[in-house]
């Protein structure tokens, strides 16, 4: 699905996301700030406690980084607050250290000036922390399905 910075998808809020896979490609419009979230939640005074998922052109800001356990980008461990999002298809796998609130793809905090620009191929959310072996199996499956095996380390 293509997102041009003015569209997003909502889904039933989960307070217990623990392992997340996102097949995506970022395509920023000229002059864009880069503050486009992959995953978000619709903030109100009664449901705070979620993450801020946006951050310039990196995977996320330092607040989200401090709440996550393991981040993998195309099969390699990364530090998300200093890893630039790719403009080619990529697989992001996140295993959190605690429950995460999320309710949308491509929009965060109800703010349309922070809307995703790019493509979403697939989004998978588990409410349990998967083992590293299981994460690698799902990454491999997604890499084969989306033709991204050359992006992964040998």
């Amino acid at each position: 699905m293509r997102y041009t910075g003015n569209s997003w998808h909502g889904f039933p809020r989960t307070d217990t996301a623990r392992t997340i896979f996102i097949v995506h490609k970022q395509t920023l419009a000229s002059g864009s700030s880069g503050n486009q979230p992959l995953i978000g939640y619709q903030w109100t005074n009664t449901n705070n406690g979620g993450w801020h998922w946006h951050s310039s052109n990196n995977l996320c800001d330092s607040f989200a980084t401090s709440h996550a356990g393991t981040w993998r980008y195309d099969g390699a461990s990364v530090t998300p607050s200093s890893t630039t999002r790719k403009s080619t298809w990529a697989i992001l796998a996140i295993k959190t250290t605690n429950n995460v609130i999320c309710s949308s793809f491509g929009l965060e905090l109800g703010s349309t000036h922070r809307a995703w620009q790019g493509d979403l191929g697939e989004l998978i959310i588990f409410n349990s922390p998967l083992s590293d072996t299981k994460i690698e199996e799902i990454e491999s499956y997604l890499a084969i399905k989306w033709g991204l095996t050359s992006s992964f380390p040998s």
Side-chain angles (χ1 to χ4, degrees), residues 89-148:
W89 284 101
I91 299 170
L92 176 62
I94 305 164
K95 180 170 72 171
T96 67
T97 56
N98 53 19
N99 291 337
V100 173
I101 298 169
C102 54
S103 64
S104 64
F105 176 85
L107 184 70
E108 172 189 65
L109 305 175
S111 175
T112 56
H113 75 279
R114 291 181 178 161
W116 176 250
Q117 294 179 35
D119 299 323
L120 170 66
E122 196 157 342
L123 171 64
I124 305 170
I125 301 174
F126 291 90
N127 65 354
S128 61
L130 301 183
S131 70
D132 292 344
T133 300
K134 192 62 163 173
I135 288 172
E136 290 172 6
E137 288 174 6
I138 294 171
E139 285 175 323
S140 177
Y141 162 78
L142 291 170
I144 291 167
K145 178 179 179 179
W146 289 94
L148 302 174

Side-chain angles (χ1 to χ4, degrees), residues 3-154:
Y3 297 82
T4 59
N6 58 9
S7 60
W8 56 281
H9 280 95
F11 49 84
R13 175 184 156 152
T14 179
D15 293 344
T16 59
R18 291 297 306 272
T19 309
I20 302 168
F21 298 87
I22 308 169
V23 180
H24 68 284
K25 174 175 69 169
Q26 181 170 312
T27 55
L28 288 177
S30 177
S32 295
S33 70
N35 282 329
Q36 285 82 37
L38 292 165
I39 298 291
Y41 65 98
Q42 303 315 297
W43 183 285
T44 68
N45 290 332
T46 60
N47 74 352
N48 59 17
W51 285 5
H52 295 259
W53 289 83
H54 66 276
S55 172
S56 278
N57 291 314
N58 296 331
L59 293 175
C60 74
D61 68 9
S62 58
F63 177 78
T65 302
S66 69
H67 288 72
T70 306
W71 290 69
R72 295 169 54 91
Y73 210 25
D74 284 340
S77 292
V78 296
T79 302
S81 60
S82 61
T83 301
T84 303
R85 293 184 217 148
K86 297 180 179 181
S87 59
T88 57
W89 284 101
I91 299 170
L92 176 62
I94 305 164
K95 180 170 72 171
T96 67
T97 56
N98 53 19
N99 291 337
V100 173
I101 298 169
C102 54
S103 64
S104 64
F105 176 85
L107 184 70
E108 172 189 65
L109 305 175
S111 175
T112 56
H113 75 279
R114 291 181 178 161
W116 176 250
Q117 294 179 35
D119 299 323
L120 170 66
E122 196 157 342
L123 171 64
I124 305 170
I125 301 174
F126 291 90
N127 65 354
S128 61
L130 301 183
S131 70
D132 292 344
T133 300
K134 192 62 163 173
I135 288 172
E136 290 172 6
E137 288 174 6
I138 294 171
E139 285 175 323
S140 177
Y141 162 78
L142 291 170
I144 291 167
K145 178 179 179 179
W146 289 94
L148 302 174
T149 53
S150 63
S151 301
F152 276 68
S154 326

